[in-house]
Each structure stands twice: as C-alpha cells, then as structure tokens.
Amino acid sequence: MKCRVCGQPANINLKAYNTALCAEDFISFLENRVLHTIKKYHLIEDGDIPVVAVSGGKDSLSLWHIMNKLGYGADGIYIHLGIGEYSDISLTKIQHMADTLKRKVYIFNVHDLFRKGIDELARAMRRPPCSACGMVKRYIMNRVCIDKGYTVLVTGHNIDDEASALFGNLLYWKREYLWKKNMVLHGIEGHLSKKVKPLFLCSEREMAAYAILCNIDYIYEECPFSVDAKSLVYKGMLNKLEELSPGTKIRFLKGYVKMVKEEVEERDYCAICGYPSYGGKCNFCRLLERFKIQGNIYFEEHGACNLDSPQRMVT
Ligand code: AMP
Ligand code: FES
Ligand code: ZN
C-alpha cells in the first residue's frame, strides 16, 4: 500500500478516511485534524488562554505537544492522585514533556491535602475509586483553571472514550448525562471554566501511533482502578461496527454534536469556597469537612497547586 500524499510505502491504513499514509504524512494529517476540530467547533477562540489537563497517558501528552506545535501556547495541570507508582511515573512523564515544551505545569497532590490517596478517600466515602477521583479531579482542574487565569480547560478524551460514553448513556437513556455531554461546554466567568475536547474525532489507535512516531514518552499502564468493564465492552462493540462499516464512530459523534444543544443549568455557589455546586456546599468542601480539613486556609497558604515547585516555569 502506498501513501496517498507522497506515494512512498504507507505505514498506517486509515479505513475511516479510505486512505493510507506514511509516518510523516500521518503526523501532519493528525495535527491538521486537531486544528480543524478546534476551528470548526470553536473550541479555542481568539483571546482564549488554554491549559491542558495531562494525565501522563498518550492522549493528553500528545495533545499538549500538538497544541504547542500548532501555536496554541498551553500550560498543563496534573493531579497527583496518590496511586502509588502509577501516579509517580505519570508525573515524571509530564515533567519531561513540560521541559521539552518549555511550559509550566501546575501539580496538585491529593495526598498532601487529604493525607490520603484516592483509594483510601474512596473507601471512606463508600464510593468506587473512579467516582471519588472524578469529583476531586473536576474540582481541582476547574479551580486551577480559574485561579490561574486560564479561560479554557482542554482534555485528551478521544473518539473511543466519547463514543463509548455516549453509547452507554443512550443505552440506559441517561438523559441527565446525555444532554450534558458535549465537546465544548461553556463556563461561567470567574466560577466555571469552559471545557473542550479537541481529540474527539481521533481514535485511540491513531493517538497511539502518533505518540510512538513522535517519540512521546508516556505511561503505558492504565490506572489500576479504571477498569470499567462496561466501557471496555462498549469500546469493543463499537470497534466491531467500525470494522464492518468504517467511519461509524465518526458519524455517530458528529451526528450527536450537530443535534445536541448545551443546556444551561441553574447553578448554586458553594457557601465555603464559592465554586459551583448543586446545593449549599460543593462535594469537595463536604469531603474536606468530613475529614476536618480547613480547605480555605489550605488553599490560601498553598494556592490551587501544592507541590514544592507548583509552577515548573522553564523560560
Ligand atoms: P480518563 O478519564 O482517565 O480517560 O482521562 C480523560 C482526560 O482527563 C485525560 O485525557 C486528561 O486530559 C484528563 N486527566 C485524567 N487524569 C488526569 C490527572 N490525574 N491529572 C490531570 N488530568 C487528567
Ligand atoms: Fe481516577 Fe484512576 S484515574 S481512579
Ligand atoms: Zn466548595
């Protein structure tokens, strides 16, 4: 098979696009796809100051790399969840990328605040680790984004993540999640950051190929708690459909995005921290209260990032 652009031997076959490309042309293709997605769906607009949530995995690290290559100078946020080696190795990969890109990365250490890692916190809350983790991550990401003056929070969710989540929400008609799901969620100035997903049309396979071809040093292991059996089954089923009819996942997501209208929700603000909540106090502040931790004092002393060198500024 030959590369459709240059005629050299192809390295990757992209059935969804009915094309095959060599390594070099695939890298340009993927970067252009991300740029096109950002522009077409108005993910990042003139005057926006983006910050990327990086987990240390292939998607978010590649996205951080691509954004800076495309000229969207973006810093990073990493939430160290205290999941043993997994969190420590992720951190080294992120610091390496920050040094390469010469960008800041804000690091928030969950253990430093709670004196517990996410698994212990989840046990105390009687919730699955992923649910406790999601709540803590959403709060910290939003807080860092707003406190540090960024206007858009960028995450590395890919088409497989988005299509499987959408499929699950449809299957159970989870209306409350279904209509909240979008590739751009608008914020509330000073309270809630705008959130965008520029990789929502890029597949896991494409992102892995990109990371390897660009020598991006990422953590191969998945989070030990993130084995969500259902979402793996949905991903497998969607991949089978994709094999039978290439382009299915793209059509599924593009169709949804075209149809869905963001619902603007009424939000309260937490009486303690002032960030959005669905009641008098936000879940994060309730958690702090439960462990008798003075959150506001902690944040005043440490800012929204708490590691020794919270802003690894490389000039
Ligand atoms: P996941 O929910 O683990 O599939 O991650 C989805 C996206 O959330 C990643 O691509 C990152 O952008 C972001 N993310 C996940 N974990 C972290 C973390 N510990 N710190 C910062 N961002 C994260
Ligand atoms: Fe959240 Fe693993 S990343 S529990
Ligand atoms: Zn609060």
Side-chain angles (χ1 to χ4, degrees):
M1 219 180 311
K2 289 192 174 155
C3 169
R4 184 145 111 186
V5 179
C6 69
Q8 296 296 310
N11 298 93
I12 184 160
N13 189 3
L14 301 171
K15 284 193 187 156
Y17 301 96
N18 196 18
T19 197
L21 297 169
C22 70
E24 207 174 304
D25 287 314
F26 169 70
I27 291 173
S28 310
F29 168 86
L30 197 116
E31 290 166 354
N32 281 329
R33 178 129 205 98
V34 175
L35 181 62
H36 184 252
T37 305
I38 292 175
K39 299 254 182 237
K40 177 168 178 192
Y41 296 94
H42 307 285
L43 303 189
I44 301 170
E45 297 182 287
D46 287 351
D48 268 335
I49 312 171
V51 63
V52 183
V54 274
S55 65
K58 62 180 188 321
D59 301 309
S60 53
L61 280 183
S62 297
L63 175 59
W64 198 12
H65 167 94
I66 293 171
M67 291 208 18
N68 282 287
K69 204 166 162 188
L70 292 176
Y72 293 101
D75 294 328
I77 302 175
Y78 173 59
I79 297 156
H80 188 299
L81 298 157
I83 309 179
E85 260 200 346
Y86 170 76
S87 297
D88 295 335
I89 297 173
S90 302
L91 176 60
T92 61
K93 308 286 180 194
I94 288 160
Q95 286 176 327
H96 181 230
M97 180 59 88
D99 292 345
T100 309
L101 298 177
K102 300 191 177 6
R103 300 301 313 192
K104 283 185 209 173
V105 58
Y106 296 92
I107 300 160
F108 185 88
N109 191 318
V110 170
H111 197 279
D112 195 60
L113 172 61
F114 288 101
R115 299 279 149 222
K116 288 175 181 51
I118 210 72
D119 51 339
E120 263 187 276
L121 269 185
R123 251 180 279 134
M125 293 162 76
R126 294 173 195 273
R127 278 167 88 163
C130 281
S131 143
C133 166
M135 187 273 279
V136 169
K137 280 196 300 202
R138 277 192 299 276
Y139 182 88
I140 298 294
M141 284 178 194
N142 186 53
R143 185 151 186 167
V144 174
C145 191
I146 302 279
D147 281 11
K148 299 291 167 188
Y150 296 94
T151 61
V152 194
L153 179 69
V154 186
T155 59
H157 295 89
N158 60 41
I159 196 167
D160 296 271
D161 301 325
E162 292 307 301
S164 63
L166 182 56
F167 187 66
N169 288 338
L170 273 174
L171 213 53
Y172 290 91
W173 286 109
K174 290 191 184 168
R175 193 182 179 281
E176 71 280 17
Y177 295 124
L178 202 52
W179 304 119
K180 263 194 215 164
K181 194 145 196 59
N182 210 335
M183 306 313 135
V184 46
L185 291 173
H186 292 95
I188 305 168
E189 211 185 330
H191 295 283
L192 187 66
S193 59
K194 173 179 165 186
K195 298 189 185 73
V196 301
K197 301 172 183 174
L199 300 185
F200 86 92
L201 294 175
C202 302
S203 72
E204 235 168 272
R205 173 173 169 265
E206 287 161 1
M207 293 318 296
Y210 182 88
I212 290 166
L213 292 172
C214 293
N215 287 322
I216 288 171
D217 182 20
Y218 65 92
I219 181 160
Y220 295 102
E221 289 77 27
E222 294 285 330
C223 165
F225 300 119
S226 73
V227 196
D228 174 1
K230 264 193 193 158
S231 97
L232 289 182
V233 172
Y234 297 157
K235 281 185 182 178
M237 287 171 62
L238 288 164
N239 280 338
K240 285 225 169 79
L241 288 174
E242 182 73 29
E243 260 172 48
L244 290 172
S245 174
T248 298
K249 288 187 284 193
I250 293 180
R251 278 193 298 277
F252 184 41
L253 271 189
K254 278 191 171 174
Y256 171 78
V257 170
K258 215 171 180 179
M259 185 185 68
V260 72
K261 287 218 165 42
E262 188 178 342
E263 284 183 356
V264 182
E265 291 177 297
E266 284 291 313
R267 300 297 282 260
D268 297 325
Y269 296 103
C270 171
I272 300 177
C273 70
Y275 283 87
S277 73
Y278 289 104
K281 288 178 199 164
C282 73
N283 286 336
F284 193 85
C285 287
R286 283 177 208 271
L287 189 60
L288 288 167
E289 265 188 359
R290 191 163 161 183
F291 294 114
K292 302 194 173 29
I293 298 169
Q294 301 276 341
N296 274 352
I297 296 178
Y298 182 90
F299 281 109
E300 258 167 43
E301 280 175 5
H302 297 82
C305 356
N306 61 8
L307 221 66
D308 290 338
S309 55
Q311 299 155 41
R312 283 173 60 86
M313 182 60 183
V314 192
T315 48

